[in-house]
Amino acid sequence: MTFSDSPVLPTDHSAIAVPCRVLLVDDQALIAEALRRMLADQPNIECHYVSDARSALQTAVEFKPTVILQDLVMPEFDGFELVRQFRTHSVTRQVPIIVLSSKEEPKLKAHGFALGASDYLVKWPDKLELLARIRYHSAAYMNLVKLAQANAELERLGRMKNEFISTVSHELRTPLTSIRGSLGLLTGGAVGQFSAQAKSLLDIANKNCERLVRMVNDVLDIDKMESGNMPFELINQSLVRLAEQAIQATQGYAQQYNVGVQLQCDMAELADIEVAVDRDRMIQVLVNLLSNAIKYSPAGTAVEVRIRREADSVRLSVADHGNGIPKEFHDRIFQKFGQVDATDSRQKGGTGLGLSICKSIVEEHRGSIDFHSEVGRGTEFYVILPLPSDAVPVRAQTTIQ
Amino acid sequence: MAHGELQTILYVEDDLDIQTVARLALEVVGGFTVHICSSGRAALATVEGELQPDLILLDVMMPEMDGPTTLEALRRLPKTAATPVVFMTAKVQGSETAHYRSLGAIGVIPKPFDPMQLAQQVRALWEQS
């Protein structure tokens, strides 16, 4: 095998192309001089020498090395301590450190690596090998720096995207206020009656305006959730009461679809069970699941909301007797705009973001959300929320008995 | 707080279209008497004159004097020092009322509002305060 076939080391050519800034720390002038000679006149290698280990960190901060070559045993200063210092400073935290030692001792090596050394060479290293290691570590470090820069740039773009979404959503709300307001007053009969044709057109405009408002709200919710700006106020409360409020909030909607909603739970079992949830956000989840179940239910059927206690959690489910979700769509049901059928969803007035928001909210409560569905028989979505830890042990035992 | 009847509302909003819509929603649907000002400064001048509103509806984002600044100035006038104030804003959704309450508002109504529900929402906030 030739040297250039090595899978680990960069090829000679590419390694030489990377500028190396070597900080050499050694308190013995003779050794330092010998090492400097090894590095002298090498293309793209700049060497800076510090004899006093106590000023090494400060020099490194100013010199900004791509690799540090440091002695381990120095009479005035513990080499391991120096490695530790380099690793705690933001400028040198990631700079590769090659430790030079006179001892071929596995324990010393292991300790050096544990403190953050990147390499360990026993004196005297072969010149070729030393150069290869310096270039290898410098190249790896420069790649790390480039990655960090790319990462920072991506983060910046991500923040810009979030700000953009947030600004656009807010800006959309002002014209939407006038449109929704006008259409709402017209269709609500606040300013007189219209011909049947005019009324049906206004109803279409109003219905779609309402959908647009929901979409703008949902986009903002997603944006806030993804940027971690959604405030959550977790307060212990009864899930049954929240479910009742959500059912009440969707009552009009259920009547519109001629669908009943039944709450099934063992009140004795759930009487003093409270879960730490953000009231408004959890109602948002339940209303979303209920609205979905209602709009996909055949008229005359009922949606069943069940709450039951499990060992260390509470399980809340919303089941419908609709057409079910075809298997091929199961994987993307919680994805943004992952509806089974886009046309269907437009007709049903969905935004395609509801379940994705539900999942984020539930996960923010350290809970989980999932579903079972059988084509032709119906779908059950269920949310599992952990019980507060102080409520678990005693009650969990009684459940098992 | 002891209330009389909620009758007169001062509405401060710089968007003319939203003014029109909200006026109809509050007057026709809600039966209130609505006085509209297009800026915080105009609102201050109005309450320094004859008008004694029962409640003030304040848009948050307005040029020159925004809603919170207007609220602060209204609080310094004896006539409106204790008048209930409700913010209306496109900047929040549903439940984020805590910040606006800490500024001294009794509530916040997010835009876009439901025009058929607006009067009822305002009345509910008034009754709770």
Side-chain angles (χ1 to χ4, degrees):
Chain A
M1 192 176 91
T2 62
F3 179 63
S4 60
D5 287 331
S6 161
V8 182
L9 291 170
T11 63
D12 263 355
H13 182 76
S14 69
I16 286 171
V18 178
C20 304
R21 295 168 67 79
V22 184
L23 181 73
L24 174 60
V25 189
D26 203 317
D27 59 349
Q28 288 173 276
L30 277 176
I31 294 174
E33 184 54 31
L35 286 167
R36 281 167 79 184
R37 277 195 197 159
M38 281 189 185
L39 306 181
D41 303 327
Q42 292 297 325
N44 266 336
I45 290 187
E46 187 185 342
C47 185
H48 193 89
Y49 166 55
V50 199
S51 61
D52 184 358
R54 281 166 297 203
S55 62
L57 183 63
Q58 188 52 41
T59 309
V61 169
E62 288 157 18
F63 177 63
K64 295 192 173 54
T66 59
V67 62
I68 295 166
L69 190 59
Q70 73 153 83
D71 195 11
L72 193 56
V73 184
M74 295 177 279
E76 301 270 313
F77 203 85
D78 176 13
F80 286 127
E81 169 59 19
L82 187 57
V83 172
R84 207 190 53 75
Q85 281 186 8
F86 282 135
R87 284 297 169 252
T88 50
H89 196 283
S90 61
V91 173
T92 50
R93 185 170 295 140
Q94 312 235 44
V95 178
I97 300 172
I98 304 174
V99 165
L100 275 173
S101 167
S102 50
K103 290 181 186 137
E104 174 73 59
E105 170 59 63
K107 270 189 186 162
L108 283 181
K109 289 185 184 178
H111 186 51
F113 282 119
L115 286 173
S118 320
D119 207 345
Y120 189 105
L121 280 177
V122 178
K123 286 177 199 169
W124 280 92
D126 175 78
K127 178 179 173 181
L128 200 61
E129 183 182 347
L130 179 67
L131 286 170
R133 285 183 190 265
I134 283 173
R135 292 198 190 281
Y136 171 78
H137 285 297
S138 281
Y141 176 66
M142 290 315 290
N143 281 338
L144 204 65
V145 168
K146 274 186 218 153
L147 271 177
Q149 282 166 349
N151 204 27
E153 177 63 7
L154 275 177
E155 275 175 18
R156 195 184 65 85
L157 290 174
R159 278 196 301 275
M160 269 176 65
K161 185 207 77 176
N162 285 342
E163 274 164 31
F164 177 75
I165 289 173
S166 159
T167 307
V168 167
S169 307
H170 290 314
E171 291 302 324
L172 284 172
R173 289 170 151 222
T174 300
L176 267 177
T177 304
S178 305
I179 299 170
R180 184 192 192 189
S182 303
L183 290 171
L185 289 168
L186 290 169
T187 54
V191 291
Q193 299 302 312
F194 298 92
S195 71
Q197 254 181 341
K199 173 109 176 53
S200 80
L201 290 173
L202 285 169
D203 282 339
I204 289 171
N206 192 46
K207 187 178 74 186
N208 283 282
C209 179
E210 293 289 336
R211 179 160 178 243
L212 190 54
V213 169
R214 283 198 297 278
M215 284 182 118
V216 168
N217 287 341
D218 282 0
V219 166
L220 263 183
D221 271 354
I222 290 259
D223 171 59
K224 273 197 213 155
M225 217 95 70
E226 287 181 355
S227 56
N229 289 331
M230 173 80 81
F232 279 89
E233 199 187 344
L234 302 187
I235 293 170
N236 281 351
Q237 51 204 303
S238 155
L239 211 52
V240 177
R241 199 145 309 138
L242 291 186
E244 285 167 349
Q245 287 173 24
I247 290 170
Q248 196 172 10
T250 48
Q251 214 166 37
Y253 196 60
Q255 278 164 3
Q256 197 185 318
Y257 281 86
N258 188 23
V259 170
V261 179
Q262 297 167 355
L263 177 60
Q264 303 173 351
C265 61
D266 179 349
M267 280 313 286
E269 181 196 51
L270 294 165
D272 4 290
I273 293 202
E274 294 194 328
V275 185
V277 292
D278 181 298
R279 180 186 169 276
D280 293 323
R281 293 300 163 203
M282 197 46 70
I283 287 185
Q284 185 180 352
V285 170
L286 301 181
V287 165
N288 202 298
L289 296 180
L290 275 167
S291 313
N292 280 346
I294 290 165
K295 70 186 172 196
Y296 289 105
S297 284
T301 62
V303 167
E304 287 126 26
V305 180
R306 295 186 194 92
I307 306 176
R308 73 165 192 254
R309 148 123 222 208
E310 303 198 323
D312 51 5
S313 58
V314 176
R315 182 186 194 275
L316 182 147
S317 63
V318 178
D320 66 53
H321 298 282
N323 277 335
I325 303 165
K327 261 219 153 57
E328 60 267 36
F329 297 105
H330 284 199
D331 285 348
R332 58 175 219 233
I333 227 67
F334 290 106
Q335 288 171 12
K336 287 171 231 167
F337 302 110
Q339 301 109 317
V340 170
D341 178 340
T343 321
D344 185 42
S345 116
R346 265 199 300 281
Q347 275 167 4
K348 303 274 189 198
T351 66
L353 294 166
L355 284 173
S356 164
I357 293 172
C358 287
K359 188 173 162 67
S360 298
I361 293 176
V362 170
E363 285 174 356
E364 197 69 38
H365 287 82
R366 295 186 298 116
S368 60
I369 183 168
D370 212 335
F371 68 99
H372 303 294
S373 188
E374 222 176 305
V375 173
R377 302 200 59 177
T379 304
E380 180 198 53
F381 276 88
Y382 58 93
V383 172
I384 294 175
L385 292 168
L387 282 170
S389 51
D390 56 342
V392 176
V394 183
R395 294 180 193 283
Q397 260 179 347
T398 47
T399 311
I400 292 160
Q401 283 163 3
Chain B
M1 205 172 139
H3 291 307
E5 179 91 5
L6 174 56
Q7 283 174 333
T8 309
I9 294 175
L10 172 62
Y11 179 39
V12 192
E13 163 70 61
D14 64 315
D15 187 302
L16 298 180
D17 292 340
I18 300 177
Q19 280 181 9
T20 306
V21 168
R23 181 195 285 282
L24 275 171
L26 294 167
E27 287 187 344
V28 177
V29 185
F32 303 124
T33 306
V34 181
H35 289 262
I36 295 184
C37 293
S38 294
S39 70
R41 214 160 290 284
L44 292 172
T46 300
V47 297
E48 276 179 303
E50 296 273 290
L51 186 72
Q52 175 66 67
D54 300 319
L55 181 139
I56 300 168
L57 265 179
L58 260 184
D59 182 30
V60 170
M61 280 184 295
M62 293 185 288
E64 207 187 336
M65 251 181 118
D66 66 5
T69 316
T70 307
L71 172 57
E72 243 175 74
L74 285 166
R75 286 290 177 251
R76 283 195 294 269
L77 299 177
K79 221 163 125 188
T80 48
T83 309
V85 167
V86 173
F87 278 122
M88 282 178 84
T89 176
K91 270 265 172 193
V92 299
Q93 315 195 39
S95 61
E96 296 152 54
T97 55
H99 170 63
Y100 292 95
R101 281 181 186 276
S102 74
L103 297 176
I106 57 167
V108 54
I109 295 175
K111 289 179 187 170
F113 52 82
D114 179 339
M116 298 304 286
Q117 297 292 323
L118 180 65
Q120 206 181 314
Q121 271 178 288
V122 171
R123 194 186 296 279
L125 287 171
W126 158 268
E127 279 163 5
Q128 280 164 25
S129 73

